[in-house]
Amino acid sequence: MSAGSGNKNTEPWGSFDDNLIQGSGSAVIDMENMDDTSGSSFEDMGELHQRMKEEEEVTEEAAATEDHEDGEFLGMKGLKGQLGRQVADEVWQAGKRQASRAFNLYANIDILRPYFDVEPVQVRSRLMESMIPVRMINFPQKIAGELYGPLMLVFTLVAILLHGMKTSDTIIREGTLMGTAIGTCFGYWLGVSSFIYFLAYLVNAQITMLQMLSLLGYGLFGHCVVLLVSYNIHFHFLFYVLWLLCGGLSTLRMVAALLSRTVGQTPRLLLCGTLSVLHMLFLLYLHFAYHKIVEGLLDSLEGPNMVPMQRVARDVPELTINATVRSLVPLLRAH
Amino acid sequence: QASADANRPFAGLSDVSISEDIPVEGDISVPVGPSARRDDEFSTLDEPVKETVLRDLRAVGKKFVHVLYPKRSTALLRDWDLWGPLLLCVTLALLLQGGAADSDYQGGPQFAEVFVIVWFGSIIITINSKLLGGTISFFQSLCVLGYCILPLTVAMAVCRIVLVAGSGSVSFAVRLVVVTASFGWSTFASTAFLADSQPANRKALVVYPVFLFYFVIGWMVLTFSPSQ
């Protein structure tokens, strides 16, 4: 069909124009440019669209400049003015083209689109599975690479944290409640993911950054549940039980997934030990730092063995005055 | 033969002549999109400021009515504007400001905090709905989310009035009911506009962040306590 391309243009609608698709006259269809939604060719598709748009723009511009040149000849002064305007116009067009190309390449949210391609049932089943450790550690476990669930869980954790901070009247000196909550949750998710990914890179574990983000994000589901319960029911014993149970289960799930993708005893110990310590301690920190425990209840339940962490204390004016007086008095006495 | 005719569509009219006694009348103005609007803008430059402001206020007020009685209509989406959301955001932030007048007590949200929460929350929800395959544009979504804060702003005003009367458990119960009702109203109103632009099986994925967003705002409204 495309053997003698160019001279068989009998169809009024332009027939199969290979030049448009490939940019050359070959009859072989380049698989790279096929429209598939596997997610790996999005940059290619973006570039292809950009190339086609640019071709259109160039032909439009050529037509526009042709029309302009066919205009009247205004003499030498007019010519310089026209030339200057044309040059300025072309510089503007070139700059705009560069900027729009850069914008389309970097600010293209289509790059993230495949990571949000989920159904509600999938999200629900992944949430349930995040609390169930899988025993198979000799073969790499499948980790879903999606970002919708983890992102929503981080935001839910922020909301729960706000609730806890409000009900306990946490006083924050530098910064705001909202800023602290968002900073803590996102900092944990992104920071610990990057750190564990870096360790995994060092010990050559088979896990990608996306999978790590997804794994840790879903591991926060246990945290959300525990904090939701413990911020409303102020039973210390209940919190410890839930900390071990839910925190432990979600940690075990993450650890098993990591174990299945790491080779060697020491790397496994390093990676999984770090992750479990960080994950469990984070839950402990969230409970104690943002939630003032009712003193009487604490004493009545298990004795004063655990002092609640408090934020920066207020300055007490009397103490500072006393301190300055005490430091000044010897000076005065010396004279 | 056919192609020759196609190239010269008015070829058959070359022998028609218009005599001068037949008056030619009619309207030959062709509605062209951009230039007509540009003419409009130039003509509104000379009108008094009061008229411009009133026209914008009337458009905002019409959209408020659409939010209060949410039906499946596209009026909010067709001519979106961000004046309404700005007005509502500023009003809400000002109403939430009274409780944090004392600088030592930083538990209440600051003005900038409310602004940041509303606008960045809306932006994140919009990006999320676009990534999930939504057909709505960026600013249309911002417009809808901003306008649907209206019930919560009304609830904030009611809460402040109730708090003037007293701050016991009765007033807390009343405020809880009011805030919960307005939060449900906001979520329902915004999903009436937003959910239509999503594929059918993914509506829940878009509704959840909207629910969370209005929940946080409702929580800020409910836990507001005026400074003694």
Side-chain angles (χ1 to χ4, degrees):
Chain A
M1 190 163 22
S2 55
S5 69
N7 58 354
K8 275 183 90 193
N9 207 354
T10 51
E11 315 290 339
W13 42 268
S15 88
F16 289 103
D17 220 356
D18 297 297
N19 294 344
L20 187 62
I21 299 174
Q22 279 139 210
S24 65
S26 75
V28 175
I29 298 175
D30 199 349
M31 283 304 287
E32 199 180 60
N33 290 335
M34 292 290 281
D35 186 4
D36 74 302
T37 50
S38 70
S40 60
S41 63
F42 267 101
E43 281 88 350
D44 293 342
M45 283 308 291
E47 267 181 39
L48 178 67
H49 284 149
Q50 188 60 30
R51 223 186 306 143
M52 278 168 56
K53 237 191 291 181
E54 276 174 35
E55 279 176 31
E56 284 175 29
E57 276 178 33
V58 164
T59 47
E60 272 177 32
E61 213 188 273
T65 46
E66 272 175 32
D67 291 337
H68 195 70
E69 281 163 8
D70 286 343
E72 6 175 348
F73 186 73
L74 296 167
M76 281 312 288
K77 210 195 268 185
L79 185 62
K80 248 190 250 171
Q82 255 180 351
L83 205 60
R85 245 173 303 161
Q86 245 181 309
V87 168
D89 207 20
E90 274 185 37
V91 168
W92 166 251
Q93 288 295 331
K96 198 166 82 161
R97 227 179 307 139
Q98 288 273 43
S100 75
R101 203 183 318 165
F103 182 74
N104 281 344
L105 193 59
Y106 292 114
N108 196 8
I109 62 168
D110 281 337
I111 299 175
L112 288 177
R113 206 179 277 270
Y115 307 139
F116 281 75
D117 190 15
V118 287
E119 306 291 319
V121 278
Q122 279 179 317
V123 176
R124 195 174 46 225
S125 68
R126 280 174 196 164
L127 282 175
M128 292 298 127
E129 280 166 12
S130 75
M131 301 290 283
I132 305 171
V134 175
R135 281 240 197 110
M136 173 185 69
I137 58 173
N138 298 319
F139 195 72
Q141 290 181 17
K142 185 177 186 316
I143 303 177
E146 62 143 312
L147 287 178
Y148 174 81
L151 204 64
M152 289 305 129
L153 277 170
V154 172
F155 281 124
T156 311
L157 192 62
V158 168
I160 295 175
L161 216 62
L162 272 180
H163 164 46
M165 286 200 272
K166 266 290 185 181
T167 52
S168 73
D169 293 327
T170 308
I171 295 163
I172 296 188
R173 215 81 202 283
E174 304 292 330
T176 61
L177 235 62
M178 193 72 198
T180 312
I182 291 184
T184 310
C185 297
F186 269 97
Y188 175 76
W189 183 47
L190 296 171
V192 171
S193 287
S194 321
F195 180 61
I196 301 286
Y197 176 68
F198 169 67
L199 285 181
Y201 172 77
L202 285 181
V203 303
N204 206 17
Q206 303 294 319
I207 194 165
T208 66
M209 181 67 186
L210 173 70
Q211 285 172 330
M212 192 60 228
L213 280 171
S214 180
L215 196 64
L216 195 64
Y218 274 113
L220 287 175
F221 177 59
H223 283 22
C224 286
V225 164
V226 172
L227 288 174
L228 193 61
V229 169
S230 64
Y231 279 165
N232 291 313
I233 305 174
H234 308 272
F235 255 166
H236 231 53
F237 181 65
L238 178 68
F239 167 70
Y240 282 126
V241 165
L242 282 176
W243 175 62
L244 280 175
L245 200 66
C246 297
L249 278 177
S250 66
T251 310
L252 275 177
R253 157 117 185 130
M254 293 197 296
V255 156
L258 273 181
L259 277 177
S260 71
R261 287 164 175 257
T262 317
V263 183
Q265 289 290 69
T266 317
R268 279 179 166 182
L269 192 64
L270 172 73
L271 215 52
C272 303
T274 319
L275 182 61
S276 18
V277 161
L278 285 173
H279 202 62
M280 299 295 272
L281 281 184
F282 184 58
L283 184 52
L284 223 53
Y285 168 72
L286 283 181
H287 180 80
F288 287 112
Y290 297 112
H291 185 66
K292 214 185 333 187
I293 296 130
V294 179
E295 295 287 321
L297 201 62
L298 169 63
D299 283 349
S300 70
L301 274 182
E302 44 183 65
N305 58 348
M306 186 76 103
V307 180
M309 277 167 60
Q310 285 183 352
R311 294 228 147 235
V312 178
R314 290 195 186 98
D315 311 340
V316 186
E318 295 87 11
L319 275 178
T320 48
I321 290 177
N322 281 344
T324 47
V325 163
R326 243 182 274 132
S327 59
L328 278 176
V329 161
L331 273 172
L332 288 172
R333 255 192 228 141
H335 289 300
Chain B
Q1 186 71 24
S3 61
D5 274 349
N7 284 341
R8 294 183 293 129
F10 302 117
L13 297 174
S14 58
D15 52 351
V16 171
S17 63
I18 300 174
S19 100
E20 282 165 8
D21 345 320
I22 306 175
V24 177
E25 56 185 88
D27 191 359
I28 58 171
S29 66
V30 179
V32 178
S35 59
R37 244 177 258 141
R38 230 177 285 135
D39 285 341
D40 238 8
E41 279 173 29
F42 284 134
S43 69
T44 62
L45 207 59
D46 297 329
E47 68 180 9
V49 175
K50 187 176 87 163
E51 227 174 272
T52 316
V53 171
L54 277 180
R55 188 182 52 233
D56 283 334
L57 279 178
R58 238 175 274 135
V60 169
K62 210 172 4 159
K63 293 206 189 71
F64 278 171
V65 172
H66 275 288
V67 170
L68 287 178
Y69 299 105
K71 303 185 286 278
R72 295 249 148 131
S73 79
T74 53
L76 220 70
L77 297 178
R78 246 182 303 121
D79 7 85
W80 57 268
D81 75 89
L82 294 178
W83 281 117
L86 183 67
L87 266 171
L88 286 171
C89 188
V90 169
T91 313
L92 187 65
L94 283 176
L95 286 174
L96 278 168
Q97 186 61 15
D102 190 5
S103 63
D104 271 356
Y105 175 65
Q106 296 221 345
Q110 309 294 313
F111 187 90
E113 232 180 81
V114 176
F115 239 85
V116 163
I117 292 172
V118 169
W119 290 101
F120 274 100
S122 308
I123 289 175
I124 288 169
I125 294 175
T126 308
I127 293 180
N128 176 59
S129 91
K130 283 190 84 81
L131 283 171
L132 285 171
T135 55
I136 203 173
S137 98
F138 185 73
F139 285 111
Q140 281 173 338
S141 173
L142 276 186
C143 167
V144 166
L145 287 167
Y147 269 106
C148 291
I149 295 181
L150 177 66
L152 281 166
T153 313
V154 167
M156 183 68 214
V158 168
C159 279
R160 281 212 87 155
I161 296 173
V162 167
L163 276 170
V164 164
S167 54
S169 57
V170 172
S171 95
F172 180 73
V174 168
R175 279 185 292 138
L176 181 67
V177 166
V178 167
V179 169
T180 313
S182 63
F183 153 71
W185 198 346
S186 286
T187 311
F188 174 67
S190 65
T191 53
F193 294 114
L194 284 180
D196 277 345
S197 65
Q198 290 292 326
N201 52 344
R202 300 220 181 147
K203 288 207 200 314
L205 295 182
V206 174
V207 168
Y208 179 69
V210 174
F211 166 87
L212 211 56
F213 174 62
Y214 288 128
F215 179 82
V216 169
I217 298 182
W219 186 249
M220 283 198 302
V221 168
L222 184 60
T223 59
F224 170 79
S225 54
S227 57
Q228 257 70 39

